[in-house]
């Protein structure tokens, strides 16, 4: 399987910027303009959050955006509808991120097929365990050209890490500290030790670091230890307020990296 | 048929551990060690000793004469309401605090609905000298004031959950988030047979003392170990799991779980999960839950904070699907009637949760020679404000 995700990591080995946003937030119809603005500002990869009523792995910022998105009327059907022509204007890899229950309700096979039709490259489903993925989901993901992106944390054992590396096909999502999303983390020695430890294992998959990446400093630090980083809560937070969307997006991205 | 959990953590198609990577080390540690710990001689000694001398077990099995007369049958009440802290919840918290100690944890977290599990957790934390944090929906903090005050007096920190419907589901979300953020020193004492494997099985084992006692107590009093039926209310399903446990493979014993219908199963204000729900994943296990077509979890409603939950333990989803147990429901109004009936016929004020089990006496056919055991899961002290409001005493 070789899709836009693999291509990105083949062509760009460092400073990859991946941004997460919750579909349907702040407004229901922001999904497509949001993606286009992010592309315009040089983002390399986008994670589109599918809101869920009970996001246990998320902190207050993404909980709030999920709640508003659902109140705005976002659903998986609605999201697929919004994204149906996205590949006419957008070339960078797109990932859907969300919880397992809405995917199960949609039907795993139908969901994956729809992702393929639209041109989705991968999925991040934090509460889909590795063994269940391998037994019940892997075939249908592969059949539809979808990478499943696994998370690792500082508490993940070496044995498990190697297993995750063996099962992974796109990249590995390296969670910076054992926490829910958006936890305030300044860069700590302990984290860097963990990043270095993981790097010393010679894994076959590239890594992106996420959780607590919120500004130029934390982004730059993460990039020293991996192919790049993922920004979620800090970006979602930057979407508050009444400025036009394109201003909020460019203002935030420019505060993280100077686009070349 | 086998109704117990299999080695992969499933009851039929239900169960498993749908956990984010951040919870894997803690859940894996528990999964690897729980059976060895709770089956060890030292653990058994300490657990049984505390249940006897601290909780006050065995709890009586009481033939409710006037209630039996009214329904023209033989009705026994399993008096979990007489346990220390006033409900069955303490059976589980005693077990889990001993597990937590064995694992070297120093900080305990819990979720609570009615406050009974929070209270039972705060109690064992005081007993063992461990830090205790209890998450409780803001709505429940308001409707279960006495329990909140007791928890605080016991030294626990009660943190209101402000998301969603601000009830049990939301408190559980917050407790899980706490655990994710505190991965090393903390044990999460889940209060029912819900959550990722091995929790449903571990909690059911700790609660199984209820049916273990029912069997010998019934034998002692009637010469038979098996009743005609066992009835218990179901929130997450722990008191029912305990009351059913040793009867699961006695297929001639009818098992009835009673869910909270709130204002009625045909209204939008209900918590009757098995009547209204469909298969899905909530709180890390595959079970049956109340949800929309889009897979968003529906906000439940019940007068009873302990049953106000849109999910149910995977063991019950399996008993329901295989028809081993029957699940009925009772509305708020039926429950209030049943609570008053027991109070005035037997001099026992039941918890609102337990009154759901009593309420179905009016919905089933009882024969004169039959023996029905109702699990009276808790006492009504915590619900006095609600009762007084409705009955106007
Ligand atoms: C007295 C009592 N009974 C029953 C319940 C419901 O829980 P479960 O279904 O796990 O027994 C509660 C929960 O708070 C309770 O306090």
């Amino acid at each position: 399987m070789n899709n836009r995700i693999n291509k990105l990591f083949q062509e760009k080995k460092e400073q990859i910027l991946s941004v997460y946003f919750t579909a349907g937030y702040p407004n229901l119809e922001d999904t497509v303009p949001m993606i286009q603005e992010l592309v315009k500002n040089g983002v390399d990869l986008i994670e589109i959050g599918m809101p869920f009523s009970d996001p246990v792995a998320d902190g207050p910022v993404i909980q709030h955006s999920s709640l508003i998105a659902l109140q705005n009327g976002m659903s998986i059907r609605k999201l697929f509808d919004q994204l149906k022509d996205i590949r006419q204007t957008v070339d960078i890899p797109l990932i859907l991120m969300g919880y397992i229950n809405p995917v199960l309700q949609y039907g795993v096979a139908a969901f994956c097929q729809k992702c393929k039709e639209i041109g989705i490259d991968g999925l991040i489903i934090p509460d889909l365990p590795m063994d269940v993925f391998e037994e019940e989901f892997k075939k249908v993901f592969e059949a539809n050209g979808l990478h499943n992106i696994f998370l690792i944390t500082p508490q993940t054992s070496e044995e498990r890490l190697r297993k995750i590396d063996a099962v992974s096909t796109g990249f590995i999502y390296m969670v910076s500290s054992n926490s829910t999303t958006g936890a305030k983390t300044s860069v700590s020695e302990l984290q860097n030790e963990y990043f270095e430890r993981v790097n010393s294992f010679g894994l076959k998959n590239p890594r992106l670091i996420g959780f607590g990446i919120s500004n130029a400093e934390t982004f730059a630090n993460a990039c020293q230890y991996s192919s790049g980083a993922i920004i979620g809560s800090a970006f979602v937070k930057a979407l508050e307020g009444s400025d036009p969307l394109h201003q909020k997006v460019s203002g935030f991205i420019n505060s993280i990296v100077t686009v070349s | 048929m086998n109704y117990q959990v299999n080695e992969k953590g499933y009851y039929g198609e239900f169960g498993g551990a749908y956990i984010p990577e951040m919870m894997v080390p803690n859940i894996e540690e528990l999964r690897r060690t729980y059976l060895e710990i709770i089956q060890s001689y030292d653990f058994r000694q300490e657990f049984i000793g505390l249940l006897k001398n601290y909780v006050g077990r065995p709890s009586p099995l009481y033939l409710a004469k006037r209630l039996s007369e009214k329904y023209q049958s033989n009705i026994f009440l399993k008096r979990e309401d007489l346990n220390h802290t006033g409900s069955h919840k303490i059976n589980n918290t005693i077990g889990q605090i001993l597990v937590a100690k064995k694992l070297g944890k120093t900080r305990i977290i819990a979720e609570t609905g009615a406050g009974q599990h929070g209270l039972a957790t705060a109690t064992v934390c005081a007993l063992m000298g461990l830090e205790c944090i209890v998450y409780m929906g803001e709505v429940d903090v308001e409707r279960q004031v006495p329990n909140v005050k007791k928890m605080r007096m016991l030294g626990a920190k009660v943190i209101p959950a402000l998301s969603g419907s601000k009830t049990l589901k939301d408190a559980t979300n917050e407790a899980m988030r706490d655990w994710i953020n505190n991965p090393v020193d903390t044990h999460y004492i889940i209060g029912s047979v819900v959550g990722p494997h091995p929790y449903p099985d571990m909690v059911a084992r700790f609660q199984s003392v209820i049916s273990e006692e029912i069997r010998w107590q019934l034998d002692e009093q009637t010469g038979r170990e098996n009743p005609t039926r066992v009835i218990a209310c179901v929130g997450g399903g722990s008191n029912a799991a305990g009351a059913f446990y040793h009867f699961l493979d006695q297929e001639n014993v009818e098992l009835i779980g009673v869910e909270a219908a709130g204002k009625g199963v045909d209204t939008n204000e209900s918590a009757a999960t098995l009547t209204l729900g469909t298969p899905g994943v909530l709180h890390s296990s595959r079970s049956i839950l109340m949800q929309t077509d889009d897979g968003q979890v529906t906000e439940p409603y019940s007068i009873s904070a302990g049953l106000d939950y849109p999910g149910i333990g995977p063991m019950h989803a399996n008993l329901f699907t295989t028809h081993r147990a029957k699940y009925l429901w009772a509305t708020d109004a039926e429950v209030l009637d049943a609570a008053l009936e027991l109070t005035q016929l037997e001099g026992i004020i039941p918890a609102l949760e337990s009154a759901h089990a009593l309420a179905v006496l009016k919905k089933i056919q009882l024969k004169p020679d039959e023996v029905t055991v109702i699990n009276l899961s808790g006492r009504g002290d915590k619900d006095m404000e609600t009762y007084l409001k409705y009955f106007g005493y």
Side-chain angles (χ1 to χ4, degrees), chain B residues 80-81 86-89 112-118 144 147 168 191-194 203 207 232-241 258 304-308 312 316 350-355 375-379 382-383:
Chain B
E80 293 299 301
D81 61 316
S87 81
H88 68 292
K89 297 287 184 187
T112 196
Q116 287 301 109
H117 173 61
Q144 305 278 271
N147 276 345
L168 182 54
S192 193
V193 285
V194 300
V203 177
Q207 293 293 359
C233 68
V234 184
S238 68
N239 87 89
V258 187
S304 137
L307 307 185
D308 198 352
I312 188 166
H316 292 288
L352 275 166
E353 290 77 19
S354 321
N375 195 35
L376 201 68
S377 58
R379 65 176 89 123
K382 68 185 178 60
D383 299 312

Side-chain angles (χ1 to χ4, degrees), chain B residues 2 7 30 33 96 104 109 132 137 210 219-220 286 326:
Chain B
N2 179 15
E7 67 288 345
L30 257 189
T33 57
Q96 282 201 51
I109 56 171
C132 181
I210 298 172
D219 187 24
E220 215 172 69
R286 193 186 287 210
K326 205 156 69 179

Side-chain angles (χ1 to χ4, degrees), chain B residues 60-172:
Chain B
L61 183 71
Y62 165 69
L63 174 62
K65 286 223 184 64
R66 296 186 67 211
L67 194 67
S68 297
E69 225 166 79
K70 174 155 182 194
Y71 290 95
Q72 304 264 300
S73 192
N74 306 289
I75 301 169
F76 286 84
L77 302 177
K78 179 60 174 163
R79 300 290 308 275
E80 293 299 301
D81 61 316
L82 292 176
N83 292 341
H84 180 42
T85 70
S87 81
H88 68 292
K89 297 287 184 187
I90 190 108
N91 304 328
N92 170 44
T93 60
I94 295 269
Q96 282 201 51
I97 201 83
L98 296 177
V99 170
K101 268 184 46 178
K102 188 82 196 163
L103 295 175
K105 308 289 181 175
T106 54
R107 180 175 174 274
I108 299 296
I109 56 171
E111 85 297 337
T112 196
Q116 287 301 109
H117 173 61
L119 174 60
T121 304
T123 298
V124 296
C125 285
L127 180 68
M128 301 293 172
L130 296 180
E131 183 187 356
C132 181
I133 291 112
V134 178
Y135 291 92
M136 186 170 190
E138 194 181 36
V139 167
D140 296 337
V141 170
E142 279 159 27
R143 61 178 163 173
Q144 305 278 271
V145 172
N147 276 345
V148 174
K149 302 212 158 150
K150 282 183 198 167
M151 286 186 267
R152 290 191 173 135
M153 184 168 167
L154 286 157
K157 189 166 161 197
V158 180
I159 303 182
L162 306 175
S163 58
S165 58
K166 304 179 175 60
T167 58
L168 182 54
K169 170 184 76 110
D170 313 290
T172 308

Side-chain angles (χ1 to χ4, degrees), chain A residues 51-56 58 63 70 75-76 101-102 104-105 126-127 129 135-136 151 153 155-156 160 178-180, chain B residues 8 10 17-22 24-25 169 173 177 180-181 183-184 279-281 286 291 293-297:
Chain A
F52 180 49
S53 54
D54 296 83
V56 291
D58 285 299
Q63 284 176 48
L70 292 172
S75 67
I76 290 186
N101 194 52
L104 291 175
Q105 293 319 300
D127 58 345
E135 274 174 40
E136 299 178 30
L151 274 52
T153 80
Q155 256 71 41
T156 306
R160 188 173 168 86
N178 217 95
S179 67
T180 45
Chain B
K8 288 178 125 178
Y10 282 83
Y18 292 75
I19 46 172
E21 191 62 31
M22 293 78 93
V24 166
K169 170 184 76 110
N173 290 343
R177 289 181 187 122
I180 288 172
N181 285 292
V184 179
V281 172
R286 193 186 287 210
Q291 59 186 324
D293 288 349
D294 187 44
Q296 307 299 337
V297 183

